[in-house]
Amino acid sequence: MVDDRLRLVARDDLHRSEGSDPLLGIPYYECYPRLWNGNVDAVRTVVDQGTPLVLNGYRHYCFYGEFSAADIEIRPVFDGDARCTGAMVQVSVLPGCTVYGEMDSARALIDIGKMSVTLAHGVRNPLNAIKGAVVYLKDKYCADATFAEFADIIDEEICKLDGFITEFLGTSHLEPVREEIQLNDLLERVVKFVSLQAEANHVRFDVEYGELPPVMLDSFNFGHAILNIVNNALGAMEAGGSLTMRTSTLLEGGVEMIVVEVADTGSGLRSGGKGKLGSFPGAGSRKHGKGYGLFITREIVRHHQGKIEITGNHGGGTTVRIMLPAV
């Protein structure tokens, strides 16, 4: 709101500070972009004429970049004697504005944070029950070598997950624990996890491991990133499909990169071509789900200074490609 000299008398926006507002009393155009109607100040026009003005699809610049469009309504304010004493300005930013997009992503990420804490608390009790059941079964069927191997893997993963949840609930920031590993060994562990699921779904699972140099990774987080991708691929295929995981290296800008590809023969991307990885999930490239797994995977890859690409054609399968700098 401004007075009859166009000085700010009240405001409610992204930049509002707590307590006393240092911008009150300053002409609005010294702290916000001036609003024009043709070649005259739109707010001045409303105050002088005492009639409201609406500017639909108005374009102007702010500190964050150019608004794609905004609907602006300027209404005169009258005192008890019907004298115009100022104007009320309302700016409704439309989708496409930089600030609008940042606010949208921030709200969504806050929601994810709230859900994550609830989920972490909810997982802990059933996790302990699963651990107890695995210990009992491992004792009872220790003579079965295959069962014992999978039981050991489950037990170890439960311990890692329990440690992760404890750290998550006890700290405000999780630091990745990186170590030098052979990526093919980590991927082989993922393959063991999902091989029985692939077999049950009648999906052929092939691996093609290339020679790789060591890489610095948080094996727990990166392993689950790959697991997310593989589970997405399995979910996209009918019986008789095939899934291929392959590793290789390439030089990019003089830097040796490790490449992990997961290719499926499923339904492919709805849009075809190259998939877009936005800043926040909401609509995944698959038919089902909100894309949280892919969002988490992308963030894990980013934290490892890597990048992720998704390519494919509708009905012709999808390939997810991760590139990481070698040690």
Side-chain angles (χ1 to χ4, degrees), residues 244-279:
T244 303
M245 182 189 295
R246 60 178 66 93
T247 60
S248 59
T249 59
L250 62 79
L251 279 177
E252 186 176 84
V255 177
E256 186 177 23
M257 305 291 286
I258 290 176
V259 181
V260 181
E261 286 186 350
V262 178
D264 66 58
T265 58
S267 55
L269 301 177
R270 283 177 293 182
S271 57
K274 182 171 285 191
K276 293 182 179 179
L277 288 172
S279 59

Side-chain angles (χ1 to χ4, degrees), residues 46-117:
V46 170
V47 171
D48 289 345
Q49 297 180 0
T51 56
L53 177 64
V54 176
L55 305 172
N56 287 320
Y58 187 86
R59 296 177 68 88
H60 67 91
Y61 288 89
C62 71
F63 296 112
Y64 294 88
E66 184 183 1
F67 287 136
S68 293
D71 291 339
I72 299 174
E73 183 180 1
I74 310 171
R75 302 191 307 272
V77 176
F78 299 96
D79 62 13
D81 298 323
R83 184 174 63 90
C84 185
T85 58
M88 176 78 74
V89 182
Q90 181 174 337
V91 180
S92 301
V93 179
L94 302 178
C97 168
T98 304
V99 178
Y100 182 97
E102 288 178 355
M103 287 176 62
D104 226 28
S105 292
R107 280 193 294 267
L109 288 171
I110 289 169
D111 288 340
I112 279 188
K114 291 176 180 176
M115 287 189 295
S116 299
V117 173

Side-chain angles (χ1 to χ4, degrees), residues 16-60:
R16 186 170 185 172
S17 55
E18 297 295 330
S20 58
D21 192 334
L23 297 185
L24 298 186
I26 297 175
Y28 88 90
Y29 48 80
E30 291 187 7
C31 45
Y32 295 96
R34 189 188 288 269
L35 302 176
W36 296 99
N37 184 27
N39 58 357
V40 297
D41 187 303
V43 184
R44 178 81 270 165
T45 299
V46 170
V47 171
D48 289 345
Q49 297 180 0
T51 56
L53 177 64
V54 176
L55 305 172
N56 287 320
Y58 187 86
R59 296 177 68 88
H60 67 91

Side-chain angles (χ1 to χ4, degrees), residues 20-290:
S20 58
D21 192 334
L23 297 185
L24 298 186
I26 297 175
Y28 88 90
Y29 48 80
E30 291 187 7
C31 45
Y32 295 96
R34 189 188 288 269
L35 302 176
W36 296 99
N37 184 27
N39 58 357
V40 297
D41 187 303
V43 184
R44 178 81 270 165
T45 299
V46 170
V47 171
D48 289 345
Q49 297 180 0
T51 56
L53 177 64
V54 176
L55 305 172
N56 287 320
Y58 187 86
R59 296 177 68 88
H60 67 91
Y61 288 89
C62 71
F63 296 112
Y64 294 88
E66 184 183 1
F67 287 136
S68 293
D71 291 339
I72 299 174
E73 183 180 1
I74 310 171
R75 302 191 307 272
V77 176
F78 299 96
D79 62 13
D81 298 323
R83 184 174 63 90
C84 185
T85 58
M88 176 78 74
V89 182
Q90 181 174 337
V91 180
S92 301
V93 179
L94 302 178
C97 168
T98 304
V99 178
Y100 182 97
E102 288 178 355
M103 287 176 62
D104 226 28
S105 292
R107 280 193 294 267
L109 288 171
I110 289 169
D111 288 340
I112 279 188
K114 291 176 180 176
M115 287 189 295
S116 299
V117 173
T118 304
L119 180 63
H121 275 289
V123 163
R124 173 165 273 171
N125 288 337
L127 193 64
N128 288 332
I130 293 169
K131 181 174 177 123
V134 169
V135 170
Y136 170 78
L137 291 171
K138 190 163 62 169
D139 251 5
K140 189 172 179 64
Y141 300 103
C142 59
D144 186 325
T146 302
F147 179 86
E149 180 187 11
F150 277 98
D152 284 339
I153 291 174
I154 294 170
D155 196 19
E156 185 178 341
E157 290 301 312
I158 288 173
C159 288
K160 287 181 182 177
L161 185 54
D162 186 55
F164 177 83
I165 291 172
T166 300
E167 188 178 0
F168 176 80
L169 293 174
T171 62
S172 60
H173 181 68
L174 290 174
E175 285 291 341
V177 180
R178 299 192 186 185
E179 55 187 341
E180 184 175 305
I181 68 167
Q182 289 292 334
L183 185 55
N184 286 340
D185 295 340
L186 176 62
L187 297 181
E188 186 60 28
R189 191 177 183 83
V190 172
V191 171
K192 283 185 179 179
F193 270 136
V194 298
S195 58
L196 294 180
Q197 181 186 348
E199 185 179 337
N201 292 347
H202 304 288
V203 170
R204 191 178 77 251
F205 199 155
D206 299 319
V207 293
E208 301 171 9
Y209 296 134
E211 277 196 41
L212 303 181
V215 63
M216 293 295 293
L217 288 179
D218 180 328
S219 59
F220 175 78
N221 283 318
F222 194 81
H224 281 276
I226 298 295
L227 198 56
N228 284 338
I229 295 172
V230 172
N231 283 331
N232 279 351
L234 289 174
M237 288 185 288
E238 304 290 341
S242 67
L243 187 153
T244 303
M245 182 189 295
R246 60 178 66 93
T247 60
S248 59
T249 59
L250 62 79
L251 279 177
E252 186 176 84
V255 177
E256 186 177 23
M257 305 291 286
I258 290 176
V259 181
V260 181
E261 286 186 350
V262 178
D264 66 58
T265 58
S267 55
L269 301 177
R270 283 177 293 182
S271 57
K274 182 171 285 191
K276 293 182 179 179
L277 288 172
S279 59
F280 177 73
S285 59
R286 305 294 189 185
K287 291 181 181 178
H288 307 291
K290 292 183 174 293

